[in-house]
Amino acid sequence: MLFILFNWLYIFITTYLTGFGILCALKKAFGWTPRRISTCVMTGLVALTAYAQWFSLFYRVNAEANLILIAVDLLIAVILRKQLLRFTGDALGEMGSGKKTAVFLLILVCAYFTSRGSYISDTNLYHAQCIRWLEEYGILKGLANIQSRAAYNSSSFCLSALFSMKYIFGQSMHALQGFTALLLGTVCLDIGNIFRRKKPLLSDFVRLGAIYYLSLLHREIMSPSSDFAVMLTLFYIVIAWLDLLEREETSTVPYALLCVAGVYTVTLKLTAGLILILVIKPVVMLVKEKKWKEIATYLLLGLLIITPYLIRNVVISGWLIYPLSALDLFDVDWKVPAQLVDADSYQIRIWGKGIHDYELYGGVTKWWPNWFRTILSSTEKGLILADAAALLLLG
């Protein structure tokens, strides 16, 4: 548990400094100032994931990548020391003693569960192996032909490799997921504002959903699972977006940055693509105000995040987007055969519907009852039925 806390301290310092440096540059360019430490940390997580992906294209993601990161962060700390100290002091000053105590206890609880529990089956199957490949070699051409699930290529594995610190502890820590859960948990603590406001807001209900999700992960949070990574990030984005709407934020910058974070979630897992619908709001705002410089900046940030992911896809599997055989753009020797790609795509679709017998696959009326009956817990069934009842009443 002490090793976990040491690892988290390093993750916090590097993500905070990296995120603070990026947001300071954006503040100078567009005049928007972040209000919370969590905003800097999330910005740092997104940026360092892109960094780890780019680094993996040329070398292993290990101590060398961290030495460069430390040098850059030291430079940020020296150059921006006055702004950094002022921002940190103001952010901590806004936190009451009660919230500071809650954050401290949350750190201990999250560290406790991250240090014990069990891996999910996919971690034993390919998550840990993909991270080890990154630690030892970086990217390997055609790796998907050895282990087909390596073609899923979640960027979360690159970030996990960056922070695994095997060269210090003798084994990969796999503690990043717990840190991300801790970050989301600190954001959820703001649900206590209900008592001050004496009324709930929409963001409070999403925080309740996030708290419920975190409670489900406590036994398996040590797993470096892309499923966990994308859900934790999506909860953060939705909560932050609703917070902006509820305080009637007029600047386009925070909305646009959350959309950039949405691009990041796609690199964690392709199924998160629907979150990009959020792009509509800042695009409309920016076009109306004719802020072409900002549009170009956010497009560039999105490209810096998505480009290494797409390059890694091609190098690992030969396909730009795996498992989408319809987008056949590259004729390389190491390409996974299209028949295997289609078979993998089919298996993903049916397993996602809770079907383990291929004969049950069909229309919604065929697979949905089986999914509802066999996959969901009693609580989850109750929540779906409550949603359906609410829609009927509101409709």
Side-chain angles (χ1 to χ4, degrees):
M1 186 168 163
L2 288 175
F3 288 166
I4 297 287
L5 292 172
F6 176 81
N7 183 246
W8 283 2
L9 180 62
Y10 177 73
I11 295 173
F12 173 76
I13 292 173
T14 52
T15 53
Y16 183 43
L17 289 174
T18 302
F20 184 80
I22 292 170
L23 292 176
C24 274
L26 291 174
K27 176 186 176 182
K28 186 175 181 180
F30 306 127
W32 178 78
T33 304
R35 299 174 55 187
R36 299 181 176 182
I37 291 175
S38 60
T39 305
C40 297
V41 173
M42 178 53 72
T43 302
L45 285 173
V46 173
L48 293 183
T49 302
Y51 164 69
Q53 287 190 96
W54 281 109
F55 200 93
S56 73
L57 297 175
F58 305 99
Y59 199 62
R60 62 183 183 178
V61 185
N62 210 299
E64 299 83 359
N66 280 280
L67 288 174
I68 295 174
L69 173 59
I70 291 170
V72 172
D73 281 343
L74 284 174
L75 195 62
I76 291 173
V78 171
I79 295 174
L80 301 175
R81 59 188 180 278
K82 292 182 179 179
Q83 298 96 311
L84 180 64
L85 290 172
R86 187 184 310 115
F87 175 82
T88 305
D90 292 343
L92 292 175
E94 291 182 4
M95 295 173 58
S97 58
K99 186 172 182 179
K100 290 177 182 176
T101 301
V103 169
F104 176 74
L105 293 175
L106 186 62
I107 291 171
L108 295 181
V109 170
C110 289
Y112 174 82
F113 286 113
T114 305
S115 64
R116 51 192 34 81
S118 59
Y119 290 135
I120 63 173
S121 58
D122 278 351
T123 291
N124 293 318
L125 182 62
Y126 74 97
H127 296 163
Q129 292 88 329
C130 286
I131 294 170
R132 177 56 63 85
W133 281 110
L134 286 160
E135 292 170 336
E136 300 292 339
Y137 303 102
I139 195 168
L140 274 84
K141 187 185 297 183
L143 180 61
N145 291 285
I146 299 175
Q147 166 57 280
S148 63
R149 283 173 169 79
Y152 298 162
N153 182 32
S154 173
S155 63
S156 67
F157 299 152
C158 293
L159 190 62
S160 292
L162 181 66
F163 289 129
S164 68
M165 304 181 83
K166 181 176 182 290
Y167 47 89
I168 292 179
F169 298 109
Q171 65 179 52
S172 300
M173 291 297 291
H174 296 320
L176 176 66
Q177 210 76 276
F179 179 83
T180 311
L182 171 62
L183 176 64
L184 178 61
T186 60
V187 172
C188 289
L189 289 177
D190 287 339
I191 198 170
N193 291 333
I194 290 178
F195 301 105
R196 177 177 54 81
R197 284 189 254 102
K198 298 182 179 178
K199 66 174 183 178
L201 299 175
L202 183 57
S203 60
D204 293 322
F205 291 101
V206 181
R207 283 183 169 88
L208 281 175
I211 292 169
Y212 173 69
Y213 182 72
L214 289 171
S215 72
L216 298 178
L217 295 187
H218 71 280
R219 294 182 183 276
E220 299 171 330
I221 196 60
M222 64 190 304
S223 284
S225 166
S226 56
D227 294 317
F228 297 166
V230 74
M231 284 302 299
L232 293 170
T233 307
L234 286 173
F235 267 119
Y236 177 92
I237 291 173
V238 173
I239 291 170
W241 187 277
L242 291 174
D243 281 343
L244 293 173
L245 293 176
E246 288 164 357
R247 68 169 183 258
E248 299 180 346
E249 177 65 59
T250 57
S251 172
T252 57
V253 177
Y255 294 106
L257 289 178
L258 285 175
C259 291
V260 173
V263 175
Y264 160 70
T265 63
V266 175
T267 70
L268 295 173
K269 201 171 182 69
L270 283 173
T271 50
L274 188 60
I275 195 68
L276 294 180
I277 197 172
L278 295 178
V279 169
I280 295 173
K281 180 178 176 64
V283 165
V284 171
M285 294 170 69
L286 289 168
V287 171
K288 280 185 177 180
E289 299 171 15
K290 297 182 180 180
K291 294 183 176 180
W292 310 119
K293 181 182 177 181
E294 286 195 40
I295 291 175
T297 300
Y298 301 130
L299 284 175
L300 177 61
L301 290 175
L303 285 173
L304 287 173
I305 290 169
I306 198 70
T307 299
Y309 169 75
L310 296 176
I311 294 173
R312 284 179 50 79
N313 279 346
V314 176
V315 176
I316 291 172
S317 68
W319 300 88
L320 185 66
I321 299 176
Y322 186 95
L324 182 61
S325 62
L327 198 61
D328 191 355
L329 302 177
F330 301 95
D331 184 18
V332 292
D333 295 340
W334 63 86
K335 180 186 289 187
V336 176
Q339 300 93 325
L340 297 180
V341 176
D342 291 334
D344 203 5
S345 175
Y346 178 77
Q347 186 181 66
I348 290 171
R349 292 198 305 273
I350 64 172
W351 277 64
K353 295 176 173 65
I355 300 171
H356 302 285
D357 184 350
Y358 292 177
E359 295 180 357
L360 292 176
Y361 187 64
V364 174
T365 57
K366 192 169 185 179
W367 68 259
W368 198 90
N370 177 75
W371 171 79
F372 186 85
R373 185 180 65 256
T374 61
I375 297 298
L376 302 182
S377 66
S378 298
T379 302
E380 290 165 338
K381 291 175 182 176
L383 289 172
I384 288 180
L385 293 174
D387 288 340
L391 287 174
L392 289 173
L393 291 173
L394 293 174

